[in-house]
Structures are given as structure tokens and as C-alpha cells.
Amino acid sequence: MSLPSATAPQAALPPAPRASADSRPSLVGMPRAALADFLRGLGLPEKEIRMRVAQLWHWIYVRGAGEFDAMTNVAKHLRATLASASTLARPEIVREQVSADGTRKWVLRMPSKGPLDRGAEVECVYIPERDRGTLCVSSQVGCTLNCSFCHTGTQKLVRNLDAAEIVAQIVVARDRLGDYPGRLPPEGAFVPDDGGRFVSNIVFMGMGEPLYNAENVHAATGVLTDPEGLQLSKRRITVSTSGIVPEIGPLGAATGTMLAISLHATHDPLRDELVPINRKYPIAELLQACRDYPGLSNARRITFEYVMLKGVNDSLAEARALVKLLRGIPAKINLIPFNPWPGTRYECSDWSQIERFSEVIFDAGYASPIRTPRGRDILAACGQLKSETEKLRARARLMLEEQLALGAD
Ligand code: SAH
Ligand code: SF4
């Protein structure tokens, strides 16, 4: 994921409780069944459990409560019991960066899970656009997959995030954006002009391979889409995978979310090098899993991500091969300018080449938006191509509007 690093003054918001070395569990992000079990453990009568879960979820997700005392329709003695046995702690915000274009990045520290876990840190990015606010979340600390162009793959420490740690990223973002009724957004924040939610879309495109942590990603998605909780549409949640073929069908069946595939190459020898998991699950098997993805239709297309690497995968012959390869699959192609990092052997393709590549795809009838790098410093990293970016962004917008008119989301 391209991450911005420009900074601006932090906005003043009411402080949210932070996770600490507390042994009490936080109820924030806890899946419904686990919360029900927790309440049973406190001795609540079975007939009350469903109602109490709904009440707690309302306060946590709809109202953004940071303390049990705010839960005015929960009896005082129950609030006291809850407060002695649990917390509403969020992960600690280690760093918050705000780019001039409104993109926000948080580095979050998850509470330690034991003596060997030194407080895992993950990144989470908020990208506001005119018609949506997208939050890019992490599913793992680091990644085991070592794609040769990806910085995350070089990180040594790796562990899965549990479902609550995934959901908590959304809660922190909403806390910081003031995305609750009656709260004021921070100064300079994007405010949806239709009165909609600040965080309307979720993409699993932060750190980690979501389908190597499928169980927790399924459970987290359940919390995100629950009609009594965060109430996000499953069509506004996209899970991006490097191609863990056996987990693709089960993801669609269990969650109904949108799928993105990090393709990046049109033939196996190159993909083996760029995305080494390809040696296990080659392109033909991956594309078959895509054709079989539950619920696939022209209105629910798969996004194919293609990182633009200069002289590696960016020839026009490859653009034509890409079109051919995806024939028959309801698809969108998302071109990602490579975001360089210290020590990488790759360079971002020249902007004119990205544009030509995009045109081949566009002419073949595909929407081929170029993922515009968000945040000032990222633009600088990819070659300071602001004016071209603006033009391309306008074109991407046009294509998107066409898609929306067709009923795609
Ligand atoms: N592991 C998952 C999701 C996280 S990566 C996956 O690989 O799909 C999210 C996206 O960012 C992927 O498409 C990934 O290939 C891309 N990416 C990784 N490093 C990048 C870089 N340095 N520049 C541009 N895109 C990158
Ligand atoms: Fe990076 Fe995704 Fe590859 Fe992991 S699977 S190394 S996060 S691109």
C-alpha cells in the first residue's frame, strides 16, 4: 500500500482510552459470539444476553462510547460490573500523520499478547475522496510472503492480528475523524457532502496477507457488516490477496466481500519472481478461483492490481497480454505506481508509460484507474508528476462514474 508521510498539526479530539498492560479484555472489536460468552461468564442470565450485546454494540460502534458510564440505558450496577471486568480500550496511537490532501496515516500499537509479543505495530491509512472515505487496514503484523517489490515483506516480526485488532483499526479511525453523531470532525478533515459516513469503505490492503489469516478476517468482516454494529455494506469491503487460491472461494462464501487480486505479471516466470507464492498457486489456478468467486457479476467485479515497475512488467505487449488473460472475468484493473523504499531494486515506471499502458487497457473496454499516490511525499517519491496525476485522476473519475451508472460499486 502506498503510504503518505506528510505531516500537519494534529486535531484536538476527546482522548480515547488507550490499551495498557491491563489484563482485562477490551470489548472493542470483540466478535458477537465472544462478547456473548464474556457476558455469560459475568453471570448475566441467558435471556438477557442478546439484548445486552445489542446495547453494548450500539454504544461502542454507533455512538463511539469510550467509557461504560456513557451507556446511560445500561443499569448502573451492570456498568460497574463491566468496568471491573473489561475495558473499552483502543490500540495506542503511536503516530498520526495528516497529508495536505486529507489522507491520514496512523501507526497503532496493539497490546502485547504475552511475554514474547513486544507490542505489535501496524499501519492504517484513511483516504478521503469526494464520494467515499476509504480505510486501508492491516490484517497481520508484517507478512511472510516476501514479494520482491514490497516493503512489508522485509519486516521480520510477523503475527496474525485477531478479529478485534482488525476491527479496532476502524474504531480508532472513526474516533480520530469524529465519525459519530454529535461529534465534531478535526479541523481540515474531509466531511462527506451528502451527510454520509466518513469511513464508508474498507480495503484490506495494509500490512499482511489477509487470506493467511482468513479466520480472523472472516470474523472481523462479520463485525464490520453487522446491522447492529458498524453496518458497513459488504460490497464496500474489499479483501486484497496475493493469490492464496484455496482461501478465495471460502472468503466469498463466508463474507460476500469484494475481491482484489495482486496480479502484477502476465506470465508465471515473472510472477514467480515478483510474487513468490505464485510458485505454489500459478496464474491459471488463480484465475480459475477468480472465475468461481461466489457472487461474481458485471456489477460485482474483481479488481486486479498491477504495480507498475519500470522495465519489468510495464511494456505495452504486457498490457495486451493482461487484457487477454482476463478475458471473460468481470474485472477492473487497478494500476499502482510503484512506491519505492530504501534498498529496493525496482523503480516506478515513467508516467508516460503508465498512461500508455492504461490506454491499451481502457481501449479494450476495461476501467483502468491509476491509483493516484495520496499524500504529498508519495507524489515526490513517484516522480513529482502532479499535473499529469490530476489529469489522470479526472479520467479515472470519469470511468468510475460510468461504472457507477452501470450499477457497480
Ligand atoms: N498482501 C495483500 C494485501 C496487502 S498489499 C496483497 O498482496 O494483495 C496491498 C497492495 O499493495 C498489493 O496489491 C501489493 O502488491 C501492493 N504493494 C506492495 N508494495 C508496494 C509498493 N512498494 N508499491 C506499490 N504497491 C505495492
Ligand atoms: Fe507485501 Fe502483500 Fe506480498 Fe505480503 S503478500 S509481501 S503484504 S505484497
Side-chain angles (χ1 to χ4, degrees), residues 2 20 80 88-89 99 115 171 183 191 211 222 243 258 274 282 291 299 335 337 364 385-386 391:
S2 305
S20 63
L88 295 172
S99 142
V171 175
R183 297 264 183 95
V191 179
L211 297 190
M258 306 298 281
L274 298 177
R291 287 190 189 91
L335 302 180
L385 298 155
K386 198 163 186 336
K391 263 197 309 202

Side-chain angles (χ1 to χ4, degrees), residues 10-185:
Q10 297 206 359
L13 278 178
R18 278 173 26 172
S20 63
D22 198 325
S23 58
R24 292 172 299 170
S26 171
L27 305 188
V28 174
M30 196 183 268
R32 194 177 260 283
L35 181 54
D37 280 347
F38 178 77
L39 296 179
R40 270 181 210 108
L42 292 182
L44 265 70
E46 194 58 39
K47 62 179 179 0
E48 261 187 40
I49 301 274
R50 218 209 150 283
M51 180 271 281
R52 293 295 178 202
V53 170
Q55 244 177 357
L56 283 166
W57 275 34
H58 177 81
W59 282 106
I60 294 172
Y61 300 117
V62 182
R63 307 287 287 270
E67 50 192 33
F68 291 107
D69 266 345
M71 303 181 174
T72 44
N73 61 352
V74 176
K76 227 174 172 173
H77 70 273
L78 179 55
R79 280 188 253 156
T81 308
L82 286 167
S84 64
S86 62
T87 73
L88 295 172
R90 279 79 160 147
E92 179 187 348
I93 301 175
V94 179
R95 198 162 62 240
E96 175 177 74
Q97 293 169 286
V98 184
S99 142
D101 68 11
T103 303
R104 282 160 195 260
K105 174 172 126 180
W106 297 279
V107 177
L108 304 179
R109 184 175 298 133
M110 301 298 172
S112 163
K113 281 182 170 287
L116 294 177
D117 179 6
R118 284 168 295 141
E121 286 185 6
V122 295
E123 287 173 341
C124 170
V125 180
Y126 176 66
I127 306 150
E129 290 171 274
R130 201 192 58 203
D131 60 343
R132 64 186 61 192
T134 303
L135 191 71
C136 173
V137 297
S138 295
S139 55
Q140 296 184 305
V141 181
C143 185
T144 51
L145 286 178
N146 291 311
C147 298
S148 53
F149 57 89
C150 176
H151 200 25
T152 305
T154 63
Q155 197 170 318
K156 288 212 172 54
L157 179 75
V158 181
R159 82 156 167 83
N160 282 341
L161 294 181
D162 65 28
E165 289 171 325
I166 295 171
V167 175
Q169 295 171 61
I170 289 99
V171 175
V172 168
R174 297 187 74 215
D175 287 349
R176 297 300 297 151
L177 294 166
D179 195 10
Y180 300 110
R183 297 264 183 95
L184 286 178

Side-chain angles (χ1 to χ4, degrees), residues 1 149-150 205-206 208-209 240-242 262 264 305 307 338-339:
M1 182 71 193
F149 57 89
C150 176
M205 293 185 188
E209 169 47 58
S240 173
T241 178
S242 57
S262 295
H264 307 318
E305 296 161 281
V307 65
F338 172 62
N339 180 28

Side-chain angles (χ1 to χ4, degrees), residues 216-370:
N216 286 315
V217 167
H218 295 187
T221 309
V223 180
L224 300 182
T225 55
D226 194 292
E228 283 176 341
L230 286 160
Q231 301 168 31
L232 286 155
S233 156
K234 60 190 178 187
R235 291 188 51 184
R236 288 175 172 268
I237 299 177
T238 302
V239 175
S240 173
T241 178
S242 57
I244 313 302
V245 167
E247 294 293 346
I248 290 178
L251 172 80
T255 67
T257 52
M258 306 298 281
L259 179 67
I261 301 287
S262 295
L263 191 61
H264 307 318
T266 57
H267 55 93
D268 283 324
L270 179 60
R271 194 163 191 270
D272 285 349
E273 191 187 312
L274 298 177
V275 186
I277 194 68
N278 192 68
R279 293 181 200 143
K280 195 163 179 192
Y281 306 117
I283 293 176
E285 283 180 31
L286 177 56
L287 295 185
Q288 192 51 48
C290 290
R291 287 190 189 91
D292 297 340
Y293 192 65
L296 188 61
S297 71
N298 277 337
R300 289 192 64 210
R301 297 166 192 248
I302 294 177
T303 301
F304 288 88
E305 296 161 281
Y306 197 93
V307 65
M308 298 300 297
L309 303 169
K310 187 174 185 167
V312 174
N313 66 353
D314 65 349
S315 71
L316 299 190
E318 279 159 307
R320 287 188 286 271
L322 181 59
V323 168
K324 211 167 146 196
L325 199 61
L326 300 184
R327 199 165 284 157
I329 304 177
K332 293 183 251 185
I333 299 166
N334 201 338
L335 302 180
I336 316 175
F338 172 62
N339 180 28
W341 38 273
T344 179
R345 62 186 137 118
Y346 298 109
E347 282 177 70
C348 183
S349 304
D350 293 334
W351 205 261
S352 54
Q353 186 61 15
I354 301 182
E355 204 166 9
R356 281 197 289 271
F357 196 100
S358 156
E359 261 159 29
V360 171
I361 292 164
F362 185 67
D363 290 346
Y366 287 98
S368 60
I370 298 162

